[in-house]
Amino acid sequence: MTTAAHAHICTDHSLLHHRRASRIPYSRMLPTLKQPLLLPPPTTSRLRPAPHPPPHAFASASTPGFVSPVRGAATPLRALLPETQRHMGTEAQPEGRPLRVGLVCGGPSAERGISLNSARSVLDHIQGEDLLVSCYYIDCAMNAYAISPAQLYSNTPSDFDFKLESLAQGFQSLSDFAEHLAANVDIVFPVIHGKFGEDGGIQELLEKANAPFVGTPSKNCQLAFDKYNAALELRAQGFLTIPNFLVEKDKLAMSELEEWFQSINLNKENGKVVVKPTRAGSSIGVVIAYGANEAAEKAEGIISEGIDEKVIIEVFLEGGSEFTAIVVDVGSDNNNEPVVLLPTEVELQSSSNSDIQEDTIFNYRRKYLPTQQVAYHTPPRFPSEVIDCIRQGVSLLFHRLGLHDFARIDGWFLPTSVTSLSSTENSGKFGNTKYGAVIFTDINLISGMEQTSFLFQQASKVGFSHSRILRTIVQRACSRFPTLVPCNNAWTALSRKIQSAQQAEAIRKGTSKQKVFVIFGGDTSERQVSLMSGTNVWLNLQGFDDLDVTPCLLTPGNGYSSSHSQNFDGISRDVWTLPYSLVLRHTTEEVHAACVEAIEPERVEITSRLRDKVLNELGQALSKHDWFAGFDIVDKQPFKYSLEEWIKHVKEAKAVVFIAVHGGIGEDGTIQSLLESAGVPYTGPGPIASRTCMDKVATSLAVGHLASSGVHTIPKDVRATKEILKSSLADIWNDMKAKLQTETVCVKPARDGCSTGVARLCCPEDLEVYTNTLRRKSQRLPANCLSRAHGVIEMPVPPPESLIFEPFIETDEIIISTKSVDDSTRHLLWKGDNEWLEVTVGVIGKRGEMHSLNPSITVKESGDILSLEEKFQGGTGINLTPPPSTIMSKDALQKCKRSIEVMANSLGLEGFSRIDAFVNVRSGEVLLIEVNTVPGMTPSTVLIHQALTEEPPMYPHKFFRTLLDLAFARAN
C-alpha cells in the first residue's frame, strides 16, 4: 500500500499514484476527441500567440472512423494539420501565405526530456498568425508520430509516451515520415538533442526526402558531434586542443593508457582526468577519474551502461574557467556570415556541504537543474582580448566545420599562471593569448532552447527576444533554400501586413499599454519554483501588445548570502525590477547576484562596449535582409527598491501585480495586504483567504461545517517544534497514535508550501530521524533514511514553529503495465480497495463564483518519491486529466467538482488557487489536504493540463491572461 495523500514531498506538479487490478487501455479513458480546428487569436496579441488546435486534436480509439495509430494505419495525415494548413499546396505561393514549420522533438537519447522542454519553448515563441507549427515526435524506438501541440505540455517523457498510443498518429516508417514533412511543411525545425538529432541522423533522413530544415547538414554534424573526431579536426585546423585518449568497446589496452599518462606528464596512479562519452551531449556520462586504473574502470562503465561505445579521456583543466558561446549565421543565400553573441562564463563551485565531495564539472544536473553551485556571467569576467579571441575562434570554427544557421560552442580559458599546455608544438596555434590559452572542446549543433537556455540568455543581451531570435534563425534557414524563396517572401509580406494592421489599431484606439508587474522569488524553500513560475508567467504575458510587463525579484534585504540558515521573520525585503536578460537564470540567488554585478560601474562599461560591438556586427548584416524585423529588446539596468518603495512605484504606474511568490509573505496575506492598502490590484485571493489557507489548521476549521456538501477534513495534532525537540519522542509517538487512532503518521509544517517537510513516519525511530534533521537545520532529509523507502525530502529552513501530525491516508497506487510481446498497449492497473484517490484541482473565477477545472491524478512508474530531475524538469509520472471514467465515474467527478467549488467559495477564494484533496471515486466526496493560493505556474504544471481540457481550451498565454483579467475586473 502506498499513499498519495501526504506525498506532497514535491512541487505542484506531483499528485498521488494508485493501483487497480483490472487492465484499462488508456484509449477507453478519453472523452471523444475533436478534429483539429483553429481558435480565433486574441485581439491584443502580437504575431506570437497563435491559434492552436484543441489539445485533443486526434480522435480516440472509441471514436467512429478512427484508425488506431499502429504501423499500417491508414488515417490521412493531412487531416492532422491545422485547417488553414491543409489547403496550402506547395505549388501555389499566394502573397501573404503563412510559413509552415514542422517542429520535431524527442529522440532516443537521455536528453529526450530536455528536447520536449525545448520544443514547448520554441512552439510558444514562434507560433503566430503568420507562422503555423505542426508538431512531431520520435520515440526511443525511433518511431515517428504526428502530435497535437497540446501534447508538448505533458509533464514528463513517460507521460508523453503513454499518451502517444491514443493521442498521436504513427507513421509506417521514418522514410514515410520524412516524405510527409517534405509534402506538408515548408521547413523542418529539429529540436532533438544528442543522438539522432545532432549526429546527422535526422538531417540525413530529411536530405534524402529533399525536405528543407534548420541547421547543419548531416556530414558536418557527424564530424562535429563526435568529440574525439572533432578534436582531431580542430587540431588539424590549427586550434589548441586538450590532450586526450580514445577508449573503444573491447579495445582498451592498459599499457597504452599508462603510456599516454606518462607522455603528458600525468601521474598514472592519481593523475586527474575527465572521462566522457564521445557521442552524448549535455555532459551526460561525464565523470572525474584519478589515475589510469580508475579512468579505465569508468570508461568501461560508460560503455557497459550503453551510453556510448567510444569514450574519450582528457586531462582535467585545473584552474580554468569554462565558457559557452552562441553563434548565429546572418548571411545571405549560401554565403555564411556568423556572428558570435556575448559569450557566457560558467562559474562552478564545490558543494558547501562538507559531507559531500564533488568535483567542479559542468554536468547534466548543473546545466539543467536549479543549483547554487553554478553562476553565469555574460559577458565573461575575462580580459577583452580573451573575449575577442573566443568570438573570433567560434566564428572560424563555424566556417571551417561547415555549420549552418546557429550553434553553441563550449570551451575553457586557462590563465597563463595555471596553463599546462605550453610547448613548442602549441606555440603557434590559435587560442594562445598573452593572458592564457583559449581551448574549444564541445560543439552543440542543436543548442538547448528551454526558457532560460544560453541561446536566450545571450540573445537577449544584444536585442533579441525569444521570439525574435528564433524567427531570425528560421528566416535565415529559409533563405538558404532556393525553393523556399517564394515562401519566405510570402511569409515576410504577411508578417508586415499583420504588424501594420496592429500598429494602425493601436493608433486608432489611442490607449497606452497596461503596466503589469510579475513578482516572484522570496525567501522560502519554494523560491526556485517561484522563479520558474514567474518567468513562465512573464514570458507568456509579454506576448500581448496591450501589456507592458516587468519581471520583479523579491529578495531578503541583506541578499541570499546566509539565507539557508536564516529566519526571515521581521526582516526587510527588497524588490528588483529586472531587465529581460537577467530573468533567464536557474536560481533566485543567481538572479540576485547578476543584478548586483550588473550595476557595478566597471561591469557596466565593459558590457556596454562589448554589446555595442556585437550589435554593430549584427545590425550591418541583418539590415541587408528585407525579412529582419529589427531588435525588440533594450538591455536596461536592474533597479532595487525596498518592498514599500516598490509598492509605491507600482501604484504610481497604475499597474496590476501578478503574484507568483510561493509560500511565506506571498501566500500568508502579507503582500496582498500591502497592495490592497495601497489600492493596487493583484492576482489571486485576498489577505484573509490567503492567511487562512496558509495555515493548514485554520483551513480545516474554515471548512469544517461543509460535511453536508461532501467536504471533509483530516484529524490533526498540532505540536510546537521546540516542545518536540526537548521531549521524549517515544511518549510523543504513543500519544499521537492514541489521539489520531493510527499506526502511521504524516508530518508536515503547519504553515508552509506543499513541497517541504512532508514525510511518512511509521515508528518512533522515524520521528527521531525527522526531529534530528530539524535540529541540525538541514536543507534536506536524505533518501531512504526512514523505515519506509522514500526519495530526498526537502526540509523547511529554519525549522517551522509548529508541526502538524495527521493519520496517513492509505490509497491504492495506480501503475502502468509494461508492454508485452503480444500486446503493444500499455494498461493502467488499480486495485481500488480503498476507493480513495488523491487529486489536485485548480479553481478559477470571481469571488463567490469559483469554477472548478477538471481534477488531475498522477500515475508513477516506480515507487520512488520525486527526484530532483522530476521535481524541476516537468513534474513526475503520467498525468490523467480528468481521472478516467473506468476509475472514477462521471457522476462522482461532477460531485467532486461541485464540492471543490463549495469549498473554494466558502474560503473566499478568488482569481485562482489550487486545492489538493482525496476524492472518493464512488461518491465524489472530498477529504481536504490543503489549499495553495499561489500555486505553481511552471511550464508543465497540472494547471496547464487542466486549462487545456476546458471548452474552449486555454493555452498558457490565454490562461495567464485570464487570471490577469480577473484581477482587472476585481479592481474595477
Side-chain angles (χ1 to χ4, degrees):
M1 291 285 227
T2 60
T3 186
H6 309 291
H8 286 294
I9 313 174
C10 55
T11 62
D12 90 341
H13 358 303
S14 70
L15 308 170
L16 261 317
H17 323 298
H18 325 277
R19 188 184 309 260
R20 183 163 175 62
S22 58
R23 291 162 63 83
I24 310 166
Y26 182 63
S27 59
R28 285 174 47 201
M29 307 171 195
L30 299 172
T32 300
L33 304 173
K34 300 178 178 63
Q35 289 299 317
L37 57 86
L38 288 172
L39 302 174
T43 56
T44 59
S45 71
R46 286 191 261 201
L47 303 182
R48 188 180 64 76
H52 288 278
H56 304 300
F58 312 120
S60 72
S62 60
T63 306
F66 177 82
V67 180
S68 178
V70 297
R71 305 297 166 232
T75 302
L77 289 169
R78 285 185 69 82
L80 303 181
L81 299 172
E83 181 70 31
T84 56
Q85 197 166 332
R86 297 182 206 164
H87 307 294
M88 291 181 189
T90 55
E91 67 283 347
Q93 304 294 344
E95 183 177 351
R97 178 170 84 69
L99 188 74
R100 303 170 302 172
V101 175
L103 187 63
V104 184
C105 62
S109 84
E111 298 178 81
R112 191 161 46 102
I114 303 301
S115 173
L116 293 176
N117 291 343
S118 289
R120 181 168 55 222
S121 177
V122 172
L123 176 69
D124 282 345
H125 295 293
I126 68 170
Q127 175 99 327
E129 294 173 72
D130 64 330
L131 193 153
L132 304 178
V133 180
S134 298
C135 300
Y136 303 91
Y137 177 72
I138 295 176
D139 67 11
C140 288
M142 299 298 289
N143 299 311
Y145 297 86
I147 61 173
S148 159
Q151 282 183 264
L152 289 180
Y153 297 94
S154 293
N155 293 53
T156 62
S158 57
D159 180 64
F160 198 94
D161 289 344
F162 181 64
K163 294 173 183 176
L164 276 176
E165 297 166 2
S166 295
L167 293 181
Q169 174 61 55
F171 291 87
Q172 293 263 8
S173 65
L174 286 177
S175 59
D176 286 347
F177 168 55
E179 290 173 9
H180 164 82
L181 291 173
N184 291 283
V185 304
D186 299 318
I187 191 165
V188 178
F189 198 147
V191 289
I192 298 176
H193 305 309
K195 187 177 179 181
F196 194 68
E198 297 180 83
D199 63 0
I202 192 169
Q203 291 81 4
E204 184 176 9
L205 182 73
L206 296 172
E207 286 164 354
K208 289 180 178 178
N210 292 317
F213 59 89
V214 175
T216 297
S218 60
K219 288 185 178 179
N220 306 78
C221 286
Q222 290 166 14
L223 173 63
F225 184 67
D226 187 301
K227 293 180 175 65
Y228 183 73
N229 290 339
L232 292 178
E233 181 65 21
L234 262 63
R235 195 171 302 150
Q237 293 280 355
F239 287 85
L240 284 175
T241 56
I242 304 174
N244 59 41
F245 183 88
L246 180 67
V247 177
E248 298 185 81
K249 185 177 182 180
D250 301 326
K251 293 183 180 180
L252 174 60
M254 276 304 301
S255 59
E256 293 181 7
L257 179 58
E258 290 176 354
E259 288 176 9
W260 176 77
F261 266 76
Q262 292 176 348
S263 70
I264 58 172
N265 299 317
L266 204 59
N267 189 312
K268 68 177 183 179
E269 302 299 329
N270 57 14
K272 190 173 181 181
V273 293
V274 178
V275 185
K276 57 187 177 183
T278 64
R279 294 169 296 190
S282 292
S283 308
I284 289 173
V286 180
V287 292
I288 296 293
Y290 294 87
N293 288 335
E294 188 177 42
E297 180 183 325
K298 292 191 174 181
E300 290 178 335
I302 291 171
I303 293 171
S304 64
E305 290 174 21
I307 297 175
D308 200 352
E309 292 187 350
K310 296 192 334 181
V311 175
I312 190 172
I313 300 173
E314 295 179 340
V315 174
F316 184 88
L317 300 177
E318 292 280 8
S321 298
E322 194 164 359
F323 64 81
T324 185
I326 296 291
V327 53
V328 294
D329 180 18
V330 291
S332 303
D333 303 323
N334 287 316
N335 299 316
N336 287 354
E337 191 172 343
V339 173
V340 182
L341 307 184
L342 288 180
T344 298
E345 174 193 355
V346 180
E347 181 187 11
L348 299 175
Q349 297 143 358
S350 298
S351 172
S352 59
N353 188 336
S354 59
D355 298 329
I356 300 174
Q357 296 299 318
E358 188 174 11
D359 281 292
T360 51
I361 58 173
F362 196 35
N363 56 23
Y364 181 90
R365 278 180 167 245
R366 284 174 169 150
K367 188 171 290 185
Y368 291 115
L369 303 175
T371 172
Q372 295 180 42
Q373 297 174 29
V374 61
Y376 304 123
H377 306 276
T378 307
R381 299 167 302 173
F382 306 157
S384 295
E385 181 182 323
V386 173
I387 296 174
D388 290 341
C389 179
I390 291 170
R391 296 189 65 240
Q392 182 184 354
V394 170
S395 180
L396 283 171
L397 282 175
F398 193 91
H399 263 302
R400 294 182 183 180
L401 295 176
L403 309 187
H404 285 174
D405 302 330
F406 78 115
R408 193 188 86 231
I409 296 179
D410 304 336
W412 287 79
F413 167 57
L414 277 72
T416 304
S417 58
V418 301
T419 182
S420 58
L421 299 176
S422 55
S423 69
T424 305
E425 179 187 354
N426 291 325
S427 61
K429 294 197 171 182
F430 184 92
N432 286 301
T433 75
K434 68 179 181 180
Y435 298 101
V438 171
I439 305 172
F440 301 104
T441 57
D442 293 280
I443 299 160
N444 301 272
L445 301 160
I446 301 179
S447 179
M449 286 167 270
E450 295 181 292
Q451 286 184 344
T452 58
S453 68
F454 290 122
L455 172 64
F456 302 126
Q457 285 184 31
Q458 295 182 21
S460 62
K461 275 287 187 182
V462 291
F464 293 102
S465 66
H466 286 61
S467 176
R468 190 58 51 85
I469 188 62
L470 289 171
R471 282 169 166 255
T472 297
I473 289 168
V474 171
Q475 284 169 309
R476 170 62 185 115
C478 287
S479 72
R480 290 189 293 103
F481 296 92
T483 57
L484 289 186
V485 171
C487 293
N488 209 15
N489 291 340
W491 175 29
T492 301
L494 179 60
S495 299
R496 288 178 173 173
K497 182 178 180 181
I498 293 172
Q499 195 171 36
S500 296
Q502 290 174 342
Q503 290 172 348
E505 179 68 9
I507 293 172
R508 185 185 67 79
K509 288 182 177 180
T511 55
S512 59
K513 293 185 177 184
Q514 171 64 52
K515 291 187 179 296
V516 179
F517 289 80
V518 180
I519 187 169
F520 48 83
D523 46 50
T524 74
S525 56
E526 298 180 84
R527 61 185 179 274
Q528 314 306 357
V529 181
S530 173
L531 173 59
M532 296 173 69
S533 293
T535 300
N536 191 43
V537 170
W538 162 65
L539 284 172
N540 275 279
L541 291 181
Q542 61 97 24
F544 289 92
D545 268 348
D546 63 333
L547 301 179
D548 179 4
V549 190
T550 301
C552 303
L553 178 71
L554 175 68
T555 70
N558 58 352
Y560 287 107
S561 57
S562 57
S563 62
H564 64 280
S565 61
Q566 183 175 341
N567 190 325
F568 290 100
D569 292 341
I571 72 164
S572 64
R573 291 175 173 87
D574 295 331
V575 179
W576 291 79
T577 55
L578 305 174
Y580 196 113
S581 63
L582 292 193
V583 187
L584 308 179
R585 299 293 192 274
H586 290 99
T587 67
T588 54
E589 288 81 357
E590 191 189 334
V591 176
H592 179 259
C595 288
V596 173
E597 181 180 290
I599 59 177
E600 294 174 359
E602 185 177 351
R603 287 293 289 175
V604 171
E605 189 277 327
I606 293 172
T607 301
S608 178
R609 175 165 44 83
L610 292 171
R611 182 175 59 243
D612 289 346
K613 184 175 182 179
V614 177
L615 276 169
N616 184 54
E617 294 174 16
L618 288 167
Q620 286 185 3
L622 289 170
S623 63
K624 302 172 186 175
H625 301 296
D626 291 339
W627 47 258
F628 182 59
F631 301 104
D632 58 347
I633 294 297
V634 177
D635 196 45
K636 303 176 182 176
Q637 289 289 97
F639 193 87
K640 183 175 74 171
Y641 299 86
S642 69
L643 178 57
E644 294 73 20
E645 290 170 341
W646 178 78
I647 291 175
K648 181 180 179 181
H649 171 63
V650 171
K651 181 177 182 179
E652 291 172 351
K654 299 180 180 179
V656 63
V657 174
F658 198 117
I659 301 174
V661 178
H662 303 318
I665 68 170
E667 287 193 77
D668 68 3
T670 300
I671 287 181
Q672 292 81 359
S673 293
L674 292 171
L675 292 171
E676 201 155 287
S677 297
V680 175
Y682 56 89
T683 56
I688 296 175
S690 297
R691 193 175 304 117
T692 299
C693 294
M694 184 67 168
D695 187 321
K696 297 176 179 67
V697 175
T699 308
S700 293
L701 293 173
V703 299
H705 64 290
L706 298 178
S708 61
S709 299
V711 177
H712 306 279
T713 59
I714 302 172
K716 291 176 173 57
D717 183 10
V718 184
R719 294 176 182 258
T721 303
K722 289 182 179 179
E723 292 300 315
I724 295 174
L725 293 177
K726 66 182 182 181
S727 302
S728 166
L729 297 182
D731 291 344
I732 291 177
W733 180 259
N734 292 328
D735 185 51
M736 283 193 304
K737 283 177 58 180
K739 185 179 294 186
L740 297 173
Q741 297 184 346
T742 184
E743 293 296 319
T744 306
V745 170
C746 175
V747 59
K748 61 180 73 171
R751 293 172 56 86
D752 207 330
C754 69
S755 63
T756 56
V758 185
R760 180 179 186 175
L761 309 180
C762 301
C763 56
E765 290 74 19
D766 284 350
L767 179 60
E768 182 178 7
V769 170
Y770 189 90
T771 53
N772 284 340
T773 304
L774 293 175
R775 185 177 287 110
R776 292 193 302 266
K777 297 182 180 180
S778 299
Q779 296 181 62
R780 55 191 59 87
L781 192 65
N784 301 322
C785 63
L786 301 175
S787 58
R788 290 288 295 259
H790 64 86
V792 174
I793 299 174
E794 304 293 330
M795 296 296 288
V797 179
E801 291 184 2
S802 57
L803 296 169
I804 292 176
F805 297 89
E806 300 173 338
F808 190 83
I809 307 299
E810 299 283 356
T811 63
D812 291 314
E813 186 178 36
I814 301 175
I815 61 171
I816 304 298
S817 69
T818 56
K819 295 181 180 180
S820 60
V821 175
D822 57 348
D823 183 4
S824 62
T825 305
R826 303 171 80 194
H827 305 274
L828 293 181
L829 301 175
W830 180 54
K831 289 181 179 179
D833 294 338
N834 288 305
E835 298 188 352
W836 289 94
L837 294 178
E838 186 181 0
V839 298
T840 193
V841 53
V843 288
I844 183 172
K846 298 179 180 179
R847 185 171 181 176
E849 303 175 14
M850 295 298 283
H851 165 69
S852 171
L853 303 176
N854 279 313
S856 299
I857 61 175
T858 293
V859 183
K860 294 190 72 175
E861 294 191 277
S862 71
D864 296 328
I865 293 174
L866 294 182
S867 67
L868 187 64
E869 283 84 352
E870 290 173 320
K871 196 175 277 190
F872 290 106
Q873 287 303 115
T876 178
I878 294 167
N879 175 272
L880 301 177
T881 306
S885 59
T886 45
I887 291 179
M888 184 177 182
S889 70
K890 291 184 178 179
D891 184 56
L893 176 63
Q894 292 306 313
K895 288 181 179 178
C896 169
K897 292 174 70 173
R898 286 197 295 271
S899 295
I900 291 292
E901 289 171 353
V902 168
M903 191 190 317
N905 291 327
S906 180
L907 287 168
L909 301 182
E910 54 189 315
F912 75 115
S913 295
R914 195 195 76 222
I915 296 175
D916 298 329
F918 295 103
V919 59
N920 187 292
V921 297
R922 306 287 179 252
S923 68
E925 292 182 291
V926 298
L927 188 59
L928 174 65
I929 298 172
E930 65 183 16
V931 180
N932 294 275
T933 53
V934 184
M937 292 166 278
T938 63
S940 58
T941 176
V942 291
L943 292 185
I944 299 298
H945 292 234
Q946 293 170 11
L948 286 167
T949 65
E950 290 293 290
E951 289 294 342
M954 286 193 289
Y955 276 78
H957 68 278
K958 177 62 177 175
F959 177 65
F960 294 126
R961 180 60 191 258
T962 299
L963 305 184
L964 191 66
D965 288 344
L966 285 168
F968 287 137
R970 177 171 62 186
N972 295 328

